[in-house]
Coordinates of all heavy atoms in Angstrom, one line a residue:
M1 N 0.8 -1.2 0.0 CA 0.0 0.0 0.0 C 0.9 1.2 0.0 O 0.9 2.0 0.9 CB -0.9 0.0 1.2 CG -2.0 -0.9 1.1 SD -3.3 -0.2 2.2 CE -4.7 -1.1 1.6
A2 N 1.6 1.4 -1.0 CA 2.4 2.6 -1.1 C 1.6 3.8 -1.4 O 0.6 3.8 -2.1 CB 3.4 2.4 -2.3
N3 N 2.0 4.9 -0.8 CA 1.3 6.2 -0.9 C -0.2 6.1 -0.5 O -1.1 6.5 -1.3 CB 1.4 6.7 -2.3 CG 2.9 7.0 -2.7 OD1 3.6 7.4 -1.8 ND2 3.3 6.7 -3.9
L4 N -0.5 5.6 0.6 CA -1.9 5.4 1.1 C -2.6 6.8 1.2 O -3.7 6.9 0.8 CB -1.9 4.7 2.5 CG -3.3 4.4 3.0 CD1 -4.0 3.5 2.1 CD2 -3.1 3.7 4.4
P5 N -1.9 7.9 1.6 CA -2.6 9.2 1.6 C -3.0 9.6 0.3 O -4.1 10.2 0.1 CB -1.6 10.1 2.2 CG -0.7 9.3 3.1 CD -0.6 8.0 2.3
L6 N -2.2 9.3 -0.8 CA -2.6 9.7 -2.1 C -3.8 8.9 -2.6 O -4.7 9.4 -3.3 CB -1.4 9.5 -3.1 CG -0.2 10.5 -2.8 CD1 0.9 10.1 -3.8 CD2 -0.7 11.9 -3.0
E7 N -3.8 7.6 -2.3 CA -4.9 6.8 -2.7 C -6.2 7.3 -2.0 O -7.3 7.3 -2.7 CB -4.7 5.3 -2.3 CG -3.6 4.7 -3.1 CD -3.9 4.6 -4.6 OE1 -5.1 4.4 -4.9 OE2 -3.0 4.9 -5.4
L8 N -6.2 7.6 -0.7 CA -7.4 8.1 0.0 C -7.8 9.5 -0.7 O -9.0 9.7 -0.8 CB -7.1 8.3 1.4 CG -7.3 7.1 2.3 CD1 -6.8 7.4 3.7 CD2 -8.7 6.6 2.3
G9 N -6.8 10.3 -1.0 CA -7.2 11.6 -1.7 C -7.9 11.4 -3.0 O -8.8 12.1 -3.3
K10 N -7.5 10.4 -3.8 CA -8.1 10.1 -5.0 C -9.6 9.6 -4.8 O -10.5 10.0 -5.6 CB -7.3 9.1 -5.8 CG -6.0 9.6 -6.4 CD -5.3 8.5 -7.1 CE -3.9 9.0 -7.5 NZ -3.1 7.8 -8.1
Q11 N -9.7 8.8 -3.8 CA -11.1 8.2 -3.5 C -12.1 9.3 -3.1 O -13.2 9.2 -3.5 CB -11.0 7.2 -2.4 CG -10.3 5.9 -2.8 CD -11.0 5.1 -3.8 OE1 -12.2 5.1 -3.8 NE2 -10.3 4.4 -4.7
F12 N -11.6 10.3 -2.4 CA -12.6 11.3 -1.8 C -12.5 12.6 -2.5 O -13.0 13.6 -2.1 CB -12.3 11.4 -0.3 CG -12.7 10.1 0.4 CD1 -11.6 9.3 0.8 CD2 -14.0 9.7 0.5 CE1 -11.9 8.1 1.4 CE2 -14.3 8.5 1.1 CZ -13.2 7.7 1.6
A13 N -11.8 12.7 -3.6 CA -11.7 13.9 -4.4 C -13.1 14.3 -5.0 O -13.3 15.5 -5.2 CB -10.7 13.8 -5.5
S14 N -13.9 13.3 -5.2 CA -15.2 13.6 -5.8 C -16.2 14.2 -4.8 O -17.3 14.6 -5.2 CB -15.8 12.3 -6.4 OG -16.0 11.4 -5.4
L15 N -15.9 14.2 -3.5 CA -16.8 14.7 -2.5 C -16.9 16.2 -2.8 O -16.0 16.9 -3.1 CB -16.3 14.5 -1.1 CG -16.3 13.1 -0.6 CD1 -15.7 13.0 0.8 CD2 -17.7 12.5 -0.6
G16 N -18.1 16.7 -2.7 CA -18.3 18.1 -2.9 C -19.8 18.4 -3.1 O -20.6 17.9 -2.3
A17 N -20.1 19.0 -4.2 CA -21.5 19.3 -4.5 C -22.4 18.0 -4.6 O -23.6 18.1 -4.2 CB -21.7 20.1 -5.8
S18 N -21.8 17.0 -5.1 CA -22.6 15.7 -5.2 C -23.0 15.2 -3.8 O -24.0 14.4 -3.7 CB -21.8 14.7 -6.0 OG -20.7 14.3 -5.3
S19 N -22.2 15.5 -2.8 CA -22.6 15.0 -1.4 C -23.5 15.9 -0.7 O -24.2 15.6 0.2 CB -21.3 14.8 -0.6 OG -20.7 16.1 -0.3
V20 N -23.7 17.2 -1.2 CA -24.6 18.1 -0.6 C -25.9 18.1 -1.2 O -27.0 18.2 -0.5 CB -23.9 19.6 -0.7 CG1 -24.9 20.6 -0.1 CG2 -22.6 19.6 0.1
Y21 N -26.0 18.0 -2.5 CA -27.3 18.0 -3.3 C -27.6 16.6 -3.7 O -26.8 16.0 -4.4 CB -27.2 18.9 -4.5 CG -27.0 20.4 -4.1 CD1 -25.7 21.0 -4.3 CD2 -28.0 21.2 -3.6 CE1 -25.5 22.3 -3.9 CE2 -27.8 22.5 -3.2 CZ -26.5 23.0 -3.4 OH -26.3 24.3 -3.0
G22 N -28.8 16.1 -3.4 CA -29.2 14.8 -3.8 C -29.7 14.8 -5.2 O -29.8 15.8 -5.9
E23 N -30.0 13.6 -5.7 CA -30.5 13.4 -7.0 C -32.0 14.0 -7.1 O -32.7 13.9 -6.2 CB -30.6 12.0 -7.4 CG -29.2 11.4 -7.6 CD -29.2 10.0 -8.2 OE1 -30.2 9.6 -8.8 OE2 -28.3 9.2 -7.9
Q24 N -32.3 14.6 -8.2 CA -33.6 15.2 -8.4 C -34.6 14.1 -8.5 O -34.4 13.0 -9.1 CB -33.6 15.9 -9.8 CG -34.9 16.5 -10.2 CD -34.9 17.2 -11.5 OE1 -34.1 18.1 -11.6 NE2 -35.7 16.8 -12.4
Q25 N -35.7 14.3 -7.8 CA -36.9 13.4 -7.7 C -38.1 14.1 -8.3 O -38.3 15.2 -8.0 CB -37.2 12.9 -6.3 CG -36.0 12.3 -5.6 CD -35.6 11.0 -6.2 OE1 -36.5 10.2 -6.5 NE2 -34.3 10.7 -6.2
D26 N -38.9 13.4 -9.1 CA -40.1 13.9 -9.7 C -41.3 13.2 -9.0 O -41.4 12.0 -9.1 CB -40.2 13.7 -11.2 CG -39.2 14.6 -11.9 OD1 -38.9 15.7 -11.5 OD2 -38.6 14.1 -12.9
V27 N -42.1 14.0 -8.3 CA -43.3 13.4 -7.6 C -44.5 14.2 -8.0 O -44.6 15.4 -7.7 CB -43.1 13.5 -6.1 CG1 -44.3 12.9 -5.3 CG2 -41.8 12.8 -5.6
D28 N -45.4 13.6 -8.7 CA -46.7 14.2 -9.2 C -46.4 15.5 -9.8 O -47.1 16.5 -9.5 CB -47.6 14.4 -8.0 CG -48.1 13.1 -7.4 OD1 -48.2 12.1 -8.2 OD2 -48.4 13.0 -6.2
G29 N -45.4 15.6 -10.7 CA -45.2 16.8 -11.5 C -44.4 17.9 -10.7 O -44.2 19.0 -11.1
I30 N -44.0 17.5 -9.5 CA -43.2 18.4 -8.6 C -41.7 17.9 -8.6 O -41.5 16.7 -8.3 CB -43.8 18.6 -7.2 CG1 -45.2 19.1 -7.3 CG2 -42.9 19.4 -6.4 CD1 -45.9 19.0 -6.0
R31 N -40.8 18.8 -8.9 CA -39.4 18.4 -8.8 C -38.8 18.7 -7.4 O -38.9 19.8 -7.0 CB -38.5 19.0 -9.9 CG -38.9 18.5 -11.3 CD -38.0 19.1 -12.3 NE -38.4 18.5 -13.6 CZ -38.0 19.0 -14.7 NH1 -37.2 20.0 -14.8 NH2 -38.4 18.4 -15.8
I32 N -38.1 17.8 -6.8 CA -37.5 17.9 -5.5 C -36.0 17.6 -5.6 O -35.7 16.6 -6.1 CB -38.2 17.0 -4.5 CG1 -39.7 17.4 -4.4 CG2 -37.6 17.2 -3.1 CD1 -40.5 16.4 -3.6
I33 N -35.2 18.5 -5.0 CA -33.8 18.3 -4.9 C -33.4 18.4 -3.5 O -33.4 19.5 -2.9 CB -33.0 19.3 -5.8 CG1 -33.4 19.2 -7.3 CG2 -31.5 19.1 -5.6 CD1 -32.8 20.2 -8.2
P34 N -33.1 17.3 -2.8 CA -32.7 17.4 -1.4 C -31.4 18.1 -1.2 O -30.5 17.9 -2.0 CB -32.7 15.9 -0.9 CG -32.6 15.1 -2.2 CD -33.1 16.0 -3.3
V35 N -31.2 18.8 0.0 CA -30.0 19.5 0.3 C -29.6 19.1 1.7 O -30.4 19.0 2.6 CB -30.2 21.0 0.3 CG1 -29.0 21.8 0.6 CG2 -30.8 21.5 -1.1
A36 N -28.3 18.8 1.9 CA -27.8 18.4 3.2 C -26.5 19.2 3.5 O -25.8 19.7 2.7 CB -27.5 16.9 3.2
L37 N -26.3 19.3 4.8 CA -25.0 19.9 5.3 C -24.1 18.7 5.6 O -24.5 17.8 6.4 CB -25.2 20.6 6.6 CG -24.0 21.1 7.4 CD1 -23.3 22.2 6.5 CD2 -24.4 21.7 8.7
T38 N -22.9 18.6 5.0 CA -22.1 17.5 5.1 C -20.7 17.9 5.5 O -20.2 19.0 5.2 CB -21.9 16.7 3.8 OG1 -21.3 17.5 2.8 CG2 -23.3 16.2 3.3
W39 N -20.0 17.0 6.2 CA -18.6 17.2 6.5 C -18.0 15.8 6.7 O -18.6 14.8 7.1 CB -18.3 18.1 7.6 CG -18.8 17.7 9.0 CD1 -18.1 17.0 9.9 CD2 -20.0 18.0 9.6 NE1 -18.8 16.8 11.0 CE2 -20.0 17.5 10.9 CE3 -21.1 18.8 9.2 CZ2 -21.1 17.6 11.7 CZ3 -22.2 18.9 10.1 CH2 -22.2 18.3 11.3
S40 N -16.7 15.7 6.4 CA -16.0 14.4 6.6 C -14.5 14.7 6.9 O -14.0 15.8 6.7 CB -16.1 13.6 5.3 OG -15.6 14.4 4.2
G41 N -13.9 13.7 7.4 CA -12.5 13.8 7.7 C -11.8 12.4 7.5 O -12.4 11.4 7.8
F42 N -10.6 12.4 7.0 CA -9.9 11.2 6.7 C -8.4 11.3 7.1 O -7.9 12.4 7.0 CB -10.1 10.8 5.2 CG -11.5 10.7 4.8 CD1 -12.2 11.8 4.3 CD2 -12.2 9.5 5.0 CE1 -13.5 11.7 3.9 CE2 -13.5 9.4 4.6 CZ -14.1 10.5 4.1
G43 N -7.8 10.2 7.4 CA -6.4 10.3 7.7 C -5.8 8.9 7.3 O -6.4 7.9 7.2
A44 N -4.5 9.0 7.1 CA -3.7 7.8 6.8 C -2.3 8.0 7.1 O -1.8 9.1 7.3 CB -3.9 7.4 5.3
G45 N -1.6 6.9 7.3 CA -0.2 7.0 7.6 C 0.6 5.7 7.3 O 0.0 4.6 7.1
E46 N 1.9 5.8 7.1 CA 2.7 4.7 6.9 C 4.0 4.8 7.8 O 4.4 5.9 8.1 CB 3.2 4.6 5.4 CG 2.1 4.5 4.4 CD 2.6 4.5 3.0 OE1 3.5 3.6 2.7 OE2 2.2 5.3 2.2
D47 N 4.5 3.7 8.2 CA 5.8 3.7 8.9 C 6.9 3.2 8.0 O 6.7 2.7 6.9 CB 5.7 3.0 10.2 CG 5.4 1.5 10.1 OD1 5.5 1.0 9.0 OD2 5.1 0.9 11.1
T48 N 8.1 3.3 8.5 CA 9.3 2.9 7.7 C 9.4 1.4 7.4 O 10.0 1.0 6.5 CB 10.6 3.4 8.4 OG1 10.6 2.8 9.7 CG2 10.6 4.9 8.5
S49 N 8.7 0.6 8.2 CA 8.8 -0.9 8.0 C 7.7 -1.3 7.0 O 7.6 -2.5 6.8 CB 8.6 -1.6 9.3 OG 7.3 -1.4 9.9
G50 N 6.9 -0.4 6.4 CA 6.0 -0.9 5.4 C 4.5 -1.0 6.0 O 3.6 -1.3 5.2
G51 N 4.3 -0.8 7.2 CA 3.0 -0.8 7.8 C 2.2 0.4 7.4 O 2.8 1.5 7.3
A52 N 0.9 0.2 7.2 CA 0.1 1.4 6.8 C -1.3 1.2 7.4 O -1.7 0.1 7.8 CB 0.0 1.4 5.3
G53 N -1.9 2.3 7.6 CA -3.3 2.3 8.1 C -4.0 3.6 7.7 O -3.4 4.6 7.4
G54 N -5.3 3.6 7.8 CA -6.1 4.8 7.5 C -7.5 4.6 8.0 O -7.9 3.6 8.4
G55 N -8.2 5.7 8.0 CA -9.5 5.7 8.4 C -10.2 7.0 8.2 O -9.6 8.0 7.7
G56 N -11.5 7.1 8.4 CA -12.2 8.3 8.2 C -13.6 8.2 8.6 O -14.1 7.1 9.1
G57 N -14.3 9.3 8.5 CA -15.7 9.3 8.8 C -16.4 10.5 8.3 O -15.7 11.5 7.9
G58 N -17.7 10.6 8.4 CA -18.4 11.8 8.0 C -19.8 11.7 8.4 O -20.3 10.7 9.0
T59 N -20.5 12.8 8.2 CA -21.9 12.9 8.6 C -22.6 13.8 7.6 O -22.0 14.6 6.9 CB -22.1 13.3 10.0 OG1 -23.4 13.2 10.4 CG2 -21.6 14.7 10.2
A60 N -23.9 13.6 7.5 CA -24.8 14.5 6.7 C -26.1 14.8 7.5 O -26.6 13.9 8.1 CB -25.1 13.8 5.4
I61 N -26.5 16.1 7.5 CA -27.7 16.5 8.1 C -28.6 17.1 7.0 O -28.2 18.0 6.4 CB -27.4 17.6 9.2 CG1 -26.5 17.0 10.3 CG2 -28.7 18.1 9.8 CD1 -26.0 18.0 11.2
P62 N -29.8 16.5 6.9 CA -30.7 17.0 5.8 C -31.3 18.4 6.3 O -32.0 18.5 7.3 CB -31.8 16.0 5.7 CG -31.8 15.3 7.1 CD -30.4 15.4 7.6
V63 N -31.0 19.4 5.5 CA -31.4 20.8 5.9 C -32.6 21.2 5.2 O -33.2 22.3 5.5 CB -30.3 21.8 5.8 CG1 -29.2 21.5 6.8 CG2 -29.7 21.9 4.4
G64 N -33.0 20.5 4.1 CA -34.2 20.9 3.4 C -34.2 20.4 1.9 O -33.4 19.5 1.6
A65 N -35.0 21.1 1.1 CA -35.0 20.7 -0.3 C -35.5 21.9 -1.2 O -36.2 22.7 -0.7 CB -36.0 19.5 -0.5
Y66 N -34.9 21.9 -2.4 CA -35.4 22.8 -3.4 C -36.6 22.1 -4.0 O -36.6 21.0 -4.5 CB -34.4 23.1 -4.4 CG -33.3 24.1 -3.9 CD1 -32.1 23.6 -3.6 CD2 -33.6 25.4 -3.8 CE1 -31.1 24.5 -3.1 CE2 -32.7 26.3 -3.3 CZ -31.4 25.8 -3.0 OH -30.5 26.7 -2.5
V67 N -37.7 22.9 -4.1 CA -39.0 22.3 -4.7 C -39.4 23.2 -5.9 O -39.5 24.4 -5.7 CB -40.1 22.3 -3.6 CG1 -41.4 21.8 -4.2 CG2 -39.7 21.5 -2.4
R68 N -39.6 22.6 -7.0 CA -40.0 23.3 -8.2 C -41.3 22.8 -8.7 O -41.5 21.7 -9.0 CB -39.0 23.1 -9.3 CG -39.3 23.9 -10.5 CD -38.2 23.8 -11.5 NE -38.5 24.9 -12.5 CZ -37.6 25.5 -13.2 NH1 -36.3 25.1 -13.1 NH2 -37.9 26.4 -14.1
K69 N -42.3 23.8 -8.6 CA -43.6 23.5 -9.1 C -43.9 24.5 -10.3 O -43.8 25.7 -10.1 CB -44.6 23.8 -8.0 CG -45.5 22.7 -7.7 CD -46.6 23.1 -6.7 CE -46.2 22.7 -5.3 NZ -47.3 22.9 -4.4
N70 N -44.0 24.0 -11.5 CA -44.2 24.8 -12.7 C -43.0 25.8 -12.8 O -41.9 25.3 -12.9 CB -45.5 25.5 -12.7 CG -46.7 24.5 -12.7 OD1 -46.6 23.5 -13.2 ND2 -47.7 24.9 -12.0
D71 N -43.2 27.1 -12.7 CA -42.1 28.0 -12.8 C -41.7 28.5 -11.4 O -40.8 29.4 -11.3 CB -42.5 29.2 -13.7 CG -42.6 28.9 -15.1 OD1 -42.0 27.9 -15.5 OD2 -43.4 29.5 -15.8
D72 N -42.3 28.0 -10.4 CA -42.0 28.5 -9.0 C -40.9 27.6 -8.4 O -41.1 26.4 -8.3 CB -43.2 28.4 -8.2 CG -43.0 28.9 -6.8 OD1 -42.2 29.9 -6.6 OD2 -43.7 28.4 -5.8
L73 N -39.7 28.2 -8.0 CA -38.7 27.4 -7.4 C -38.4 28.0 -6.0 O -38.3 29.2 -5.9 CB -37.4 27.5 -8.2 CG -36.1 26.8 -7.5 CD1 -36.3 25.3 -7.5 CD2 -34.9 27.2 -8.3
R74 N -38.5 27.2 -4.9 CA -38.3 27.7 -3.6 C -37.6 26.7 -2.7 O -37.6 25.5 -3.1 CB -39.6 28.1 -2.9 CG -40.6 27.0 -2.7 CD -41.9 27.5 -2.1 NE -42.7 26.4 -1.8 CZ -43.4 25.6 -2.6 NH1 -43.4 25.9 -3.9 NH2 -44.2 24.6 -2.2
F75 N -37.0 27.1 -1.7 CA -36.3 26.3 -0.7 C -37.2 26.0 0.5 O -37.7 27.0 1.1 CB -35.0 26.9 -0.3 CG -34.2 26.0 0.7 CD1 -33.5 24.9 0.3 CD2 -34.2 26.3 2.1 CE1 -32.8 24.1 1.2 CE2 -33.6 25.5 3.0 CZ -32.9 24.4 2.5
E76 N -37.5 24.8 0.8 CA -38.3 24.4 1.9 C -37.4 23.8 3.0 O -36.9 22.7 2.8 CB -39.4 23.5 1.6 CG -40.4 24.2 0.7 CD -41.7 23.4 0.5 OE1 -41.8 22.3 1.1 OE2 -42.5 23.8 -0.3
P77 N -37.1 24.5 4.1 CA -36.2 24.0 5.1 C -36.8 22.9 5.9 O -38.0 22.8 6.1 CB -35.9 25.2 6.0 CG -37.1 26.0 5.8 CD -37.6 25.8 4.5
N78 N -35.9 22.0 6.4 CA -36.2 21.0 7.4 C -36.0 21.7 8.8 O -34.8 21.9 9.2 CB -35.3 19.8 7.3 CG -35.5 18.8 8.3 OD1 -36.2 19.0 9.3 ND2 -35.0 17.6 8.1
L79 N -37.0 22.2 9.4 CA -36.9 23.1 10.5 C -36.1 22.4 11.7 O -35.4 23.1 12.4 CB -38.2 23.6 11.0 CG -38.9 24.6 10.0 CD1 -40.3 25.0 10.5 CD2 -38.0 25.8 9.7
V80 N -36.4 21.1 11.9 CA -35.8 20.4 13.1 C -34.2 20.4 12.8 O -33.5 20.7 13.7 CB -36.3 19.0 13.2 CG1 -35.6 18.2 14.3 CG2 -37.8 19.1 13.6
A81 N -33.8 20.1 11.6 CA -32.4 20.0 11.3 C -31.8 21.4 11.4 O -30.6 21.5 11.9 CB -32.2 19.3 10.0
L82 N -32.4 22.4 10.8 CA -31.9 23.7 10.9 C -31.7 24.2 12.3 O -30.7 24.9 12.7 CB -32.7 24.7 10.1 CG -32.6 24.6 8.6 CD1 -33.6 25.5 7.9 CD2 -31.2 24.8 8.1
L83 N -32.6 23.9 13.2 CA -32.5 24.3 14.6 C -31.3 23.5 15.2 O -30.5 24.1 16.0 CB -33.8 24.0 15.4 CG -34.9 24.9 15.2 CD1 -36.2 24.5 15.9 CD2 -34.5 26.3 15.7
A84 N -31.2 22.2 14.9 CA -30.1 21.4 15.5 C -28.7 22.0 15.0 O -27.8 22.0 15.8 CB -30.2 20.0 15.1
V85 N -28.7 22.5 13.8 CA -27.4 23.0 13.3 C -27.2 24.5 13.8 O -26.1 24.9 14.1 CB -27.4 23.0 11.7 CG1 -26.3 23.8 11.1 CG2 -27.4 21.6 11.2
G86 N -28.3 25.2 13.9 CA -28.2 26.6 14.3 C -27.9 26.9 15.7 O -27.3 27.9 16.1
I87 N -28.4 26.0 16.6 CA -28.2 26.3 18.1 C -26.7 26.4 18.4 O -26.4 27.3 19.2 CB -28.9 25.2 18.9 CG1 -30.5 25.4 18.8 CG2 -28.5 25.2 20.3 CD1 -31.3 24.3 19.3
P88 N -25.8 25.5 18.0 CA -24.4 25.8 18.4 C -23.9 27.1 17.9 O -23.1 27.8 18.6 CB -23.7 24.6 17.7 CG -24.7 23.5 17.5 CD -26.0 24.3 17.3
F89 N -24.3 27.5 16.7 CA -23.8 28.8 16.2 C -24.3 30.0 17.0 O -23.6 30.9 17.3 CB -24.2 29.0 14.7 CG -23.5 28.1 13.8 CD1 -24.2 27.2 13.0 CD2 -22.1 28.1 13.6 CE1 -23.5 26.3 12.1 CE2 -21.5 27.3 12.8 CZ -22.2 26.4 12.0
V90 N -25.6 29.9 17.4 CA -26.1 31.0 18.3 C -25.4 31.0 19.6 O -25.1 32.0 20.1 CB -27.6 30.8 18.4 CG1 -28.2 31.7 19.5 CG2 -28.3 31.0 17.1
W91 N -25.1 29.8 20.2 CA -24.4 29.7 21.4 C -23.0 30.4 21.4 O -22.6 31.1 22.2 CB -24.3 28.3 21.9 CG -23.7 28.2 23.2 CD1 -24.3 28.3 24.5 CD2 -22.3 27.9 23.5 NE1 -23.3 28.1 25.4 CE2 -22.1 27.8 24.9 CE3 -21.2 27.6 22.7 CZ2 -20.9 27.6 25.5 CZ3 -20.0 27.4 23.3 CH2 -19.8 27.4 24.7
V92 N -22.3 30.0 20.3 CA -20.9 30.6 20.1 C -21.0 32.1 19.9 O -20.2 32.8 20.5 CB -20.2 29.9 18.9 CG1 -19.0 30.6 18.6 CG2 -19.9 28.4 19.3
A93 N -21.9 32.5 19.1 CA -22.0 34.0 18.9 C -22.4 34.7 20.2 O -21.8 35.8 20.5 CB -23.1 34.3 17.8
G94 N -23.3 34.2 21.0 CA -23.6 34.8 22.2 C -22.5 34.8 23.2 O -22.2 35.8 23.9
R95 N -21.8 33.7 23.2 CA -20.6 33.6 24.1 C -19.5 34.6 23.7 O -18.9 35.3 24.6 CB -20.0 32.2 24.1 CG -18.9 31.9 24.9 CD -19.4 31.3 26.2 NE -18.2 30.8 26.9 CZ -18.1 30.7 28.2 NH1 -19.2 31.0 28.9 NH2 -17.1 30.2 28.7
A96 N -19.3 34.7 22.4 CA -18.3 35.7 21.9 C -18.7 37.1 22.2 O -17.9 38.0 22.6 CB -18.0 35.5 20.4
L97 N -20.0 37.4 22.0 CA -20.5 38.8 22.3 C -20.4 39.1 23.7 O -20.0 40.3 24.1 CB -22.0 38.9 21.8 CG -22.6 40.2 21.9 CD1 -21.8 41.2 21.0 CD2 -24.0 40.2 21.4
S98 N -20.7 38.2 24.6 CA -20.6 38.5 26.0 C -19.1 38.8 26.4 O -18.8 39.6 27.3 CB -21.1 37.4 26.9 OG -20.3 36.2 26.8
R99 N -18.2 38.1 25.8 CA -16.8 38.3 26.1 C -16.3 39.7 25.6 O -15.5 40.4 26.2 CB -15.9 37.2 25.6 CG -16.1 35.9 26.4 CD -15.2 34.8 25.9 NE -15.5 33.7 26.8 CZ -14.5 32.8 27.1 NH1 -13.3 33.0 26.7 NH2 -14.9 31.8 27.8
V100 N -16.8 40.0 24.4 CA -16.5 41.3 23.8 C -17.0 42.5 24.7 O -16.3 43.4 25.0 CB -17.0 41.5 22.4 CG1 -16.9 42.9 21.9 CG2 -16.2 40.6 21.5
I101 N -18.2 42.3 25.2 CA -18.8 43.3 26.0 C -18.1 43.4 27.4 O -17.8 44.5 27.9 CB -20.3 43.0 26.3 CG1 -21.1 43.3 25.0 CG2 -20.9 43.9 27.4 CD1 -22.5 42.8 25.0
R102 N -17.7 42.3 27.9 CA -17.0 42.3 29.2 C -15.6 42.9 29.0 O -15.1 43.7 29.9 CB -16.8 40.8 29.7 CG -16.2 40.7 31.1 CD -16.1 39.3 31.6 NE -17.4 38.6 31.4 CZ -17.4 37.3 31.0 NH1 -16.3 36.6 30.7 NH2 -18.6 36.7 30.8
A103 N -14.9 42.7 27.9 CA -13.6 43.3 27.6 C -13.8 44.8 27.4 O -12.9 45.6 27.8 CB -13.0 42.7 26.4
L104 N -14.9 45.3 26.8 CA -15.1 46.7 26.6 C -15.4 47.4 27.9 O -15.1 48.6 28.0 CB -16.2 46.9 25.5 CG -15.8 46.5 24.1 CD1 -17.1 46.7 23.2 CD2 -14.7 47.4 23.6
K105 N -16.0 46.8 28.8 CA -16.3 47.4 30.1 C -15.0 47.7 30.9 O -15.0 48.5 31.8 CB -17.2 46.5 30.9 CG -18.6 46.6 30.4 CD -19.5 45.7 31.3 CE -21.0 45.8 30.9 NZ -21.8 45.0 31.8
R106 N -14.0 47.0 30.7 CA -12.7 47.1 31.5 C -12.0 48.3 31.2 O -11.9 49.2 30.6 CB -11.8 46.0 31.3 CG -12.4 44.7 31.9 CD -11.4 43.6 31.8 NE -12.0 42.4 32.3 CZ -11.4 41.2 32.4 NH1 -10.2 41.1 32.0 NH2 -12.1 40.2 32.9

């Protein structure tokens, strides 16, 4: 398994828009394109004696879908997933704002 990191890189080079946008589905004349928030991480290594190893993982959270009815195209969010994704961002922003305010008071 020479150059294991290069092999992993080749395998996952195609990750991108195809992992975020699903395949278009047609249901009763309505076109639906699912959208997800995805991230992944991978690693590999080799030692001088020829041993090699690697691993990785990822996740996807469905955030909604683009829905096209006739000439009308709109995004319909998955509210539960958006709240699950948004809560950590709101917490971090609030924490940072409180620290900025505390620093400005000094």
Side-chain angles (χ1 to χ4, degrees):
M1 285 207 165
N3 298 322
L4 186 59
L6 293 176
E7 291 297 320
L8 276 174
K10 288 178 188 175
Q11 291 290 327
F12 296 103
S14 64
L15 289 178
S18 63
S19 66
V20 175
Y21 298 102
E23 291 186 26
Q24 174 179 306
Q25 303 292 321
D26 292 323
V27 179
D28 294 331
I30 300 171
R31 291 185 178 169
I32 301 170
I33 301 173
V35 180
L37 173 67
T38 64
W39 64 88
S40 57
F42 302 93
E46 297 180 55
D47 61 13
T48 57
S49 65
T59 187
I61 299 172
V63 293
Y66 283 106
V67 178
R68 183 172 193 153
K69 236 189 260 190
N70 300 325
D71 289 335
D72 182 35
L73 177 66
R74 67 184 185 282
F75 179 76
E76 292 189 5
N78 176 349
L79 295 178
V80 174
L82 286 177
L83 283 173
V85 170
I87 288 172
F89 290 119
V90 171
W91 183 83
V92 168
R95 183 95 166 152
L97 185 60
S98 70
R99 289 183 181 216
V100 167
I101 291 170
R102 191 175 311 140
L104 290 173
K105 284 183 177 181
R106 291 181 184 186

